[in-house]
Structure formats: structure tokens, C-alpha cells
Amino acid sequence: TVSSLGNAGSLRGGSLLMTPLKGADGEVYAIAQGNLVVGGFGAQGSDGSRISVNVPSAGRIPNGAIVERAVPDGLSSNGEELVLDLHRADFTTVQRLVDVVNRTYGPETARAVDGGSVAV
């Protein structure tokens, strides 16, 4: 999805030049470019009247990115653990999850990493 900066009236007919897509860590994960598909439109009359339907200053580029690097998954560096993260950190919930997994799959299958994560 592409949006305009500033006071552009519409992105209809526009295209995105080659742009790196960076993650929160500052690394480039994909390169995007292509023609924009805009779902909205706007019109303005000579008397100053104006109408806009949906958002003409935002658009999408279908299949517009080439992935350069895979996003890290939940597996640890040795590939033997899966780390489950709770939506809301809670020590009691983490301990209950560890207890249920260990009771179901055997002792020491799961361990609490911190107040919001369980390694299995």
C-alpha cells in the first residue's frame, strides 16, 4: 500500500519507483516498484466545489514487491525450539501453559523464557 506525503490530490495513474522495504531492524526485506491501483477518485469544479469518493491519495501495487530476505521465524538459532509469545504478558498464564504442555507431551518439553514467552 502506498500513500502520498504532502498535499497530493490523487495518485491515479502514478507508479512507485524502486523502493526498499525495511523492517524495524533497518534491514531491507523486499524491493517494491510498479503501477498504482487507486480505488478512489476526486473531482473539483471551477467554482471551488469538490467531491471525493474513498481515498484517491492511497493505492496498492498488486504483486509489487520482490522478497530479498526471509523474515526471521519463531525458531531459535539451533532450530530445535519454538518460542510462543503471549498477546498480553502474564506470569500466571505462562506457567499454566508450561504446565499443560509438559503434562501433555512429557516433562521438560516446555519452559518459561520470561513473563510473556514459552519455549517448546
Side-chain angles (χ1 to χ4, degrees), residues 67-107:
V67 176
E68 298 284 325
R69 169 186 309 197
V71 176
D73 57 13
L75 299 175
S76 66
S77 59
N78 62 12
E80 295 179 4
E81 285 186 332
L82 178 66
V83 178
L84 305 172
D85 293 325
L86 272 63
H87 181 65
R88 274 186 245 143
D90 180 7
F91 287 103
T92 303
T93 305
V94 166
Q95 189 56 52
R96 288 178 182 164
L97 180 58
V98 168
D99 292 342
V100 169
V101 170
N102 286 338
R103 194 169 43 243
T104 304
Y105 295 103

Side-chain angles (χ1 to χ4, degrees), residues 13-16 33-37 60-62:
S15 62
L16 179 69
Q33 71 177 11
N35 295 325
L36 294 166
V37 176
R60 294 183 50 87
I61 304 170

Side-chain angles (χ1 to χ4, degrees), residues 21-81:
L21 302 177
K22 295 181 180 182
D25 58 1
E27 296 291 326
V28 175
Y29 286 90
I31 303 292
Q33 71 177 11
N35 295 325
L36 294 166
V37 176
V38 179
F41 72 90
Q44 185 172 354
S46 60
D47 62 350
S49 61
R50 182 176 209 177
I51 187 168
S52 179
V53 177
N54 292 333
V55 183
S57 59
R60 294 183 50 87
I61 304 170
N63 298 318
I66 298 171
V67 176
E68 298 284 325
R69 169 186 309 197
V71 176
D73 57 13
L75 299 175
S76 66
S77 59
N78 62 12
E80 295 179 4
E81 285 186 332

